[in-house]
Amino acid sequence: MNQRPAFSPAPARRPRPWTLAVAGLALVAAAAVWFVPDSVRAQDDAGEAEAPFPPLAEVVDGLEEVPGLMTLWRSSPDDPTQDPTRLVARIPQGLLDQDLLLATNVSRGPLAGFQWIDALVRWQIVGESVVLTAPDVQYVQQDEANPIASAVRRTYRPIYLASVPILTMAGGDPVVDLAPLVFSRVARPPAGGPVDRSLSTLTKVKNFPENVLIDADLAFADGQGGAQTLGVSYAFRMLPAVDGSYTPRPADERVGYFTTTRIDFAKPHAARELEVRLINRWRLEKQDPSLALSPPKKPIVFVIEKTVPIRWRRWVRAGIEDWNRSFEEIGFSNAIVVQQQTDTNEFADVDPEDARYNFVQWIVTGRGFAVGPSRADPRTGEILDADIVIDDGMLRFYAQDFDLYGPKALASGLAPEMLESMLRRPGLYASGLGPEGVAQLRDLAQAQAPHACGHGCSHDHGKPAGPDGLASPASGSAEPGLRSLPEPIHAAHGQARSRHAGCGYSVGMMRQMTLAAAAARARGMVGEDGLPDEIIGPALQAVVTHEVGHTLGLRHNFKASGWLTLDEIKQRRDTGDKPTTASTMDYNPLLLFADDTIETLQRVTSTGPGPYDDWAIEYGYAVPGQGQSEDDLLASITQRAGEPALAYLTDEDTRGLSSTDPLAAVWEAGSEPGAWAASRRAIAERLLSDVDTWGREDDEPRYVLRDTVNALLFEKGFGYYHQAKLVGGQYFHRHRGDEPGAKPALVLVPAEAQRRALSSLCATVFAPGFVALEPGLLNNLASPRWGYSNSRIDYPIHQRIAAIHSWTLGRLTEPVTMQRIYDAELKTGEDDKFTLAELLTTLRDAVWAELGEAPPAEGGVWIATPRRNLQSMWIAALEPMARPTAWERSAVSPDVLRMGRQSLADTAEDIRGALESHRGAMDFGSRAHLEASVSKIDRLLDAQYDAEPSPSGMFFFLTGG
């Protein structure tokens, strides 16, 4: 097991006699001296004070007192003559130098409900100011007896977030002006421009014994006299004492939890890793440990906000309570409790931004998403609170304009490197994206590019500092009383963001529900209220269950849907209530098939958590039995990791160029990707066959039909991308080798299975007529024309076909895929090997099949227009082999480049032969295409380049590409 760290609480506060200067700690790397000057004198609560401080009563005159953790005084919201941003805080001596959690939320605006930046912070007196600092929690603070302790402390300094001026002293407590911090960009709000305090206002100030909540409407100046407003809330809350009452649990790579990772330099030099990885989980303890099934001392409570429509509340509640079954398996009854907020019950005035409560909120941005982030103690990984946000647009799926195979669709399921790969091969993807799609692709790739800091955080790196010293598009003079570094909360907030690494489940579920809506409309099941609740409700419940899983600490498991065969899934769907997927943490599709009669289906989703989820909850929350150590408990749990139902692969194993496992996929089901692709194609084709009769009502605009056709084409083609992952695929297992059923880390997909997958793709996606729509239908697919638009009015059918072709062809010809197939020739002792040469020749023969045939004797078009476009994309796909950039030269062996060039050369030779033999019989379009194609290939092959990596292949060897 991983070595468990010895966590130490924050250092005890030193006595601070206000008449002495205190020297010591450096605040930032510049080694500034912290001190308390003689001019700071203690003041009693009666208001007596020595110069230069005025009495407390004078400082807070006219303000409303809000007692609690830190006594606050605010301007009266009912007095228009007062400054609406005035906020004074008395910070008790007992809070100085103590660990607090600063948690920020977006409370109003397009991202309302989102947890934003959070960090462990400390208030400390520095001169005549109180400074808010963020210790570097990435590094374990060592016991002072350890010689390494001073080196760690000297190297990894706290971060200076802000300072606020001391207005006076009250009984030894500093009284500060808190407004400069609140009305600043210290929380990194998702809005541009500096904060204009003159247009901002406090909206809410609440105080509790262990929690302070401050909410404000911040106005961000637009430089033209106006401002954008955004609600931002700040919560300061006490952190649990690190006293041994909570035992951090080590992470295990076989079980998918978000983690709190720290570096421990006290580990011996022989240790393989310095990292100490702890899972993020709630503190859950039995009320009565002697009982096999006991309620917890403190359950996890979710409050459903009153904004959630009444129609959907039962499904939201069911999605949350689904997890109680998993907890019952390990001895907890009612581990999760659900409360409904109303206007009259005890939760009526509870705020979603209050860090003490876990809320399910409903917002209306129209974008259709759901997220379930949580906040964990950065010292131990203990989850402190969580919120789930659901956008109403998720249920308005029928109004979505589908971006068929475009950047938005790709970004929801792919890593940024895939978008960058598309930019490296514009000739392959541009014809399927169109001009708007190419521009959008660039924007998305830039927005998702990794930051230089390496934390995966959301800093605005590279932008000039704003008026409060934080990165901002604008510049100006500093706000009085506030000083901040350009990159605050660097270490602390980097981990905070990684606890929810982006979840696109609800976005994809909108597409799934559009398919369900199409099937229902085709059967006349859609009424004035839309789809029946029996279809929408379970889909919403599945999304909620998924997001609650994130709030319990669980990461995605994208291999879970490959647990059963498609036949087994369908049988379970129709005959019982057993789960059809191993995990609700996958992106599981709705279970619809071409031969379904949708009005008689009992269910279209799996039933709550699956076997992997039960196992993961056991690892995170099971309590050792009588006489059992925690290490023994965890070892007994992980010994099951080799069971097929417990296979685990997550985001980094699925979305990027390094993804090797064809079963690590999104929005598919079953252990055979080809079978899933065929099933989705079948249902799409069935619905497309008469879509012009049911796709819209008589009084609806015809562009409604266009959206439906786009959605069905997406479903028809998307499954083949997953089937393409079989070619060059390697099954990846996170086993350690000591558990029953353990397999090697990587197992090549058998050569025959790769061969069948490639043959199937050539016979389907790359075959003539894969997308064939009737002309009458195509001429009814107009675009919306509400005002001027430069988009095409007519339906871009060739662009749609090219999108499907490019997506699958791109996966097969990705340089990393070709290199993987090339490397695999040395990774098997089998005589039957699937080689790169086989991929290139088979694919070329399928794409250019017309070159082996004669033009039609009766005349007419020889090579159909979609086929010409596919052949042009094939040349573009291999262009990096003939004209490699520095990226290809470092990532691909010279031999791979040569084989790509040879495939182009062979094709050019075949084209010349066809032109020579059939030039007179060719139609104009086919001849023009072949003349241009051979010219393009010749120019690529004539390009001068050094195919050998430099220097001498060493960079390639060291990096592995």
Side-chain angles (χ1 to χ4, degrees):
M1 304 304 296
N2 292 341
Q3 181 177 344
R4 211 171 279 115
F7 288 97
S8 57
R13 186 183 63 81
R14 297 185 302 275
R16 292 184 183 269
W18 303 111
T19 55
L20 285 184
V22 180
L25 208 51
L27 181 62
V28 287
V33 177
W34 294 21
F35 69 95
V36 179
D38 292 339
S39 61
V40 179
R41 303 290 183 180
Q43 172 189 335
D44 61 30
D45 291 333
E48 298 296 330
E50 297 184 17
F53 290 122
L56 174 62
E58 181 180 321
V59 171
V60 299
D61 182 43
L63 301 180
E64 295 183 354
E65 181 176 349
V66 187
L69 177 64
M70 298 186 299
T71 303
L72 301 175
W73 289 268
R74 64 163 298 179
S75 54
S76 172
D78 300 323
D79 187 350
T81 66
Q82 290 190 351
D83 177 0
T85 66
R86 187 86 169 107
L87 184 64
V88 174
R90 176 176 177 172
I91 303 174
Q93 292 186 61
L95 284 187
L96 296 174
D97 288 320
Q98 297 305 304
D99 292 345
L100 301 171
L101 185 71
L102 169 61
T104 66
N105 281 63
V106 180
S107 53
R108 285 169 302 287
L111 295 178
F114 270 70
Q115 292 184 359
W116 211 242
I117 290 175
D118 54 273
L120 185 147
V121 298
R122 294 172 186 160
W123 291 112
Q124 294 170 323
I125 291 181
V126 181
E128 297 184 5
S129 300
V130 171
V131 175
L132 187 66
T133 65
D136 197 335
V137 295
Q138 290 188 102
Y139 301 91
V140 176
Q141 295 299 309
Q142 308 298 329
D143 185 281
E144 290 301 321
N146 191 328
I148 200 71
S150 60
V152 172
R153 189 170 58 251
R154 182 172 62 244
T155 306
Y156 303 105
R157 307 302 304 142
I159 295 169
Y160 177 12
L161 296 182
S163 71
V164 291
I166 297 176
L167 302 178
T168 190
M169 301 296 298
D173 300 339
V175 179
V176 301
D177 181 4
L178 209 55
L181 186 152
V182 172
F183 296 98
S184 74
R185 296 186 58 86
V186 73
R188 292 284 181 187
V195 176
D196 187 339
R197 184 169 167 179
S198 68
L199 297 176
S200 302
T201 185
L202 282 174
T203 57
K204 190 184 304 177
V205 177
K206 292 193 174 184
N207 220 339
F208 309 95
E210 297 184 354
N211 184 51
V212 174
L213 176 65
I214 302 165
D215 190 90
D217 275 339
L218 304 186
F220 298 91
D222 61 9
Q224 299 176 354
Q228 172 191 358
T229 61
L230 187 75
V232 176
S233 70
Y234 307 80
F236 289 92
R237 63 178 295 172
M238 297 184 67
L239 286 170
V242 184
D243 56 6
S245 59
Y246 172 82
T247 303
R249 183 157 289 184
D252 189 295
E253 77 279 4
R254 294 166 288 186
V255 191
Y257 273 86
F258 294 116
T259 61
T260 292
T261 302
R262 307 183 75 189
I263 309 297
D264 187 0
F265 284 105
K267 283 189 173 185
H269 285 81
R272 291 185 179 273
E273 293 183 318
L274 291 177
E275 291 83 0
V276 177
R277 297 182 177 90
L278 308 171
I279 67 170
N280 292 350
R281 61 171 185 155
W282 297 86
R283 183 184 304 217
L284 211 59
E285 304 167 288
K286 284 187 174 183
Q287 280 189 28
D288 188 343
S290 68
L291 296 178
L293 189 63
S294 167
K297 292 180 180 178
K298 183 180 179 181
I300 303 167
V301 179
F302 278 95
V303 180
I304 300 177
E305 193 182 33
K306 56 190 175 184
T307 55
V308 176
I310 295 174
R311 179 182 180 184
W312 306 121
R313 288 178 185 176
R314 70 183 177 107
W315 302 104
V316 172
R317 175 183 289 271
I320 301 170
E321 293 177 340
D322 271 343
W323 287 97
N324 274 332
R325 189 200 67 197
S326 299
F327 282 101
E328 287 174 1
E329 295 289 328
I330 58 172
F332 286 100
S333 61
N334 296 317
I336 300 177
V337 175
V338 182
Q339 302 286 359
Q340 176 63 58
Q341 183 189 48
T342 70
D343 289 323
T344 57
N345 67 4
E346 65 270 33
F347 301 100
D349 297 323
V350 173
D351 298 289
E353 297 81 32
D354 189 335
R356 299 176 302 161
Y357 294 92
N358 314 305
F359 262 82
V360 179
Q361 294 182 263
W362 201 268
I363 64 174
V364 285
T365 69
R367 294 200 303 271
F369 61 85
V371 292
S374 62
R375 289 190 172 100
D377 188 328
R379 305 164 302 176
T380 64
E382 179 185 354
I383 295 177
L384 304 174
D385 78 291
D387 292 296
I388 295 171
V389 181
I390 302 171
D391 187 276
D392 183 75
M394 193 188 78
L395 303 184
R396 300 183 184 276
F397 48 88
Y398 49 83
Q400 299 299 317
D401 181 13
F402 277 79
D403 178 26
L404 184 71
Y405 285 86
K408 287 182 181 178
L410 308 186
S412 68
L414 299 176
E417 64 201 70
M418 289 298 292
L419 302 180
E420 295 164 7
S421 172
M422 293 174 69
L423 285 173
R424 282 198 300 270
R425 298 195 287 174
L428 171 58
Y429 293 101
S431 59
L433 292 173
E436 295 177 355
V438 171
Q440 190 181 82
L441 175 64
R442 293 195 185 99
D443 291 342
L444 283 169
Q446 182 177 3
Q448 293 193 17
H451 293 302
C453 69
H455 290 299
C457 57
S458 56
H459 299 325
D460 295 325
H461 293 297
K463 294 182 179 179
D468 54 10
L470 304 177
S472 169
S475 60
S477 59
E479 292 184 38
L482 181 70
R483 299 191 302 273
S484 300
L485 291 183
E487 296 181 2
I489 322 181
H490 206 79
H493 138 233
Q495 287 200 56
R497 293 301 94 200
S498 69
R499 288 200 294 274
H500 193 281
C503 181
Y505 189 39
S506 59
V507 177
M509 184 58 81
M510 288 187 354
R511 297 182 183 276
Q512 295 296 309
M513 292 189 350
T514 298
L515 179 63
R521 284 181 183 275
R523 302 289 297 186
M525 291 179 61
V526 177
E528 292 183 1
D529 291 334
L531 284 176
D533 289 5
E534 288 68 28
I535 294 178
I536 300 180
L540 174 60
Q541 179 179 340
V543 170
V544 173
T545 305
H546 179 99
E547 299 303 337
V548 171
H550 282 316
T551 70
L552 297 174
L554 298 182
R555 295 193 65 188
H556 291 133
N557 181 2
F558 289 135
K559 197 166 182 175
S561 57
W563 168 40
L564 302 171
T565 68
L566 210 54
D567 288 340
E568 290 171 327
I569 289 172
K570 190 172 182 180
Q571 183 180 27
R572 282 186 173 224
R573 183 200 69 170
D574 295 338
T575 60
D577 59 356
K578 293 182 179 180
T580 56
T581 176
S583 176
T584 191
M585 302 312 297
D586 204 331
Y587 286 0
N588 295 303
L590 295 184
L591 302 176
L592 298 169
F593 299 94
D595 58 352
D596 283 338
T597 303
I598 192 167
E599 58 264 40
T600 64
L601 289 180
Q602 297 299 309
R603 59 188 177 113
V604 293
T605 63
S606 190
T607 54
Y612 165 83
D613 303 314
D614 294 338
W615 180 66
I617 290 298
E618 182 183 12
Y619 182 87
Y621 293 93
V623 179
Q626 188 73 26
Q628 184 183 36
S629 71
E630 179 144 317
D631 286 347
D632 288 342
L633 167 69
L634 299 183
S636 68
I637 295 170
T638 54
Q639 275 294 103
R640 297 179 52 210
E643 296 178 15
L646 307 184
Y648 163 67
L649 292 177
T650 192
D651 295 72
E652 55 266 30
D653 308 313
T654 305
R655 297 178 171 182
L657 297 177
S658 60
S659 171
T660 66
D661 196 318
L663 297 183
V666 296
W667 301 117
E668 47 71 62
S671 56
E672 301 168 352
W676 175 254
S679 74
R680 263 327 196 233
R681 176 187 180 183
I683 189 172
E685 289 183 343
R686 193 200 81 182
L687 293 170
L688 282 168
S689 65
D690 59 349
V691 67
D692 51 344
T693 64
W694 60 262
R696 69 177 185 91
E697 301 295 333
D698 289 340
D699 60 346
E700 285 184 321
R702 286 177 174 168
Y703 57 73
V704 172
L705 184 60
R706 179 179 178 131
D707 290 344
T708 301
V709 169
N710 278 346
L712 293 175
L713 287 179
F714 184 94
E715 291 298 331
K716 179 175 180 175
F718 186 64
Y720 291 98
Y721 169 77
H722 294 309
Q723 188 177 15
K725 289 181 69 175
L726 284 164
V727 181
Q730 300 174 20
Y731 298 111
F732 178 33
H733 307 101
R734 288 175 175 257
H735 300 155
R736 291 191 177 180
D738 58 347
E739 61 262 24
K743 297 178 180 179
L746 293 166
V747 176
L748 299 180
V749 173
E752 185 54 36
Q754 295 188 58
R755 201 169 287 122
R756 284 197 308 270
L758 181 58
S759 176
S760 173
L761 293 171
C762 292
T764 53
V765 179
F766 301 137
F770 179 72
V771 176
L773 301 178
E774 292 295 327
L777 173 62
L778 291 174
N779 290 324
N780 262 325
L781 304 181
S783 67
R785 307 303 289 179
W786 295 102
Y788 176 78
S789 172
N790 60 0
S791 63
R792 289 179 58 176
I793 299 177
D794 60 321
Y795 191 72
I797 181 60
H798 282 99
Q799 182 178 323
R800 295 295 186 244
I801 298 172
I804 295 174
H805 281 159
S806 64
W807 193 216
T808 307
L809 183 63
R811 176 72 199 189
L812 292 171
T813 60
E814 179 63 50
V816 172
T817 300
M818 290 196 281
Q819 182 66 41
R820 187 179 297 124
I821 295 172
Y822 180 75
D823 288 345
E825 295 178 32
L826 300 182
K827 296 179 179 179
T828 177
E830 299 290 334
D831 292 335
D832 184 17
K833 299 181 181 182
F834 184 83
T835 65
L836 178 59
E838 184 174 355
L839 168 66
L840 290 172
T841 55
T842 302
L843 193 58
R844 184 198 67 206
D845 291 347
V847 171
W848 295 91
E850 289 85 352
L851 297 182
E853 305 167 355
E858 65 277 10
V861 176
W862 179 26
I863 306 176
T865 52
R867 296 282 296 170
R868 297 179 209 161
N869 290 332
L870 172 62
Q871 291 164 4
S872 297
M873 286 188 286
W874 181 88
I875 297 173
L878 292 186
E879 182 174 344
M881 302 295 101
R883 190 178 292 173
T885 66
W887 188 91
E888 281 87 22
R889 295 188 197 183
S890 65
V892 180
S893 296
D895 200 26
V896 173
L897 299 178
R898 296 187 193 109
M899 282 193 277
R901 286 175 61 85
Q902 187 62 50
S903 187
L904 286 167
D906 291 346
T907 302
E909 184 176 344
D910 290 343
I911 294 174
R912 288 191 181 90
L915 285 170
E916 182 177 345
S917 301
H918 307 299
R919 186 184 301 272
M922 289 183 194
D923 60 283
F924 178 81
S926 298
R927 181 163 55 86
H929 162 64
L930 293 179
E931 294 280 9
S933 295
V934 74
S935 175
K936 171 71 172 178
I937 294 174
D938 287 344
R939 292 197 305 274
L940 288 175
L941 297 178
D942 287 343
Q944 297 299 312
Y945 77 101
D946 176 12
E948 305 297 327
S950 179
S952 302
M954 184 57 67
F955 178 76
F956 174 81
F957 173 77
L958 292 175
T959 64

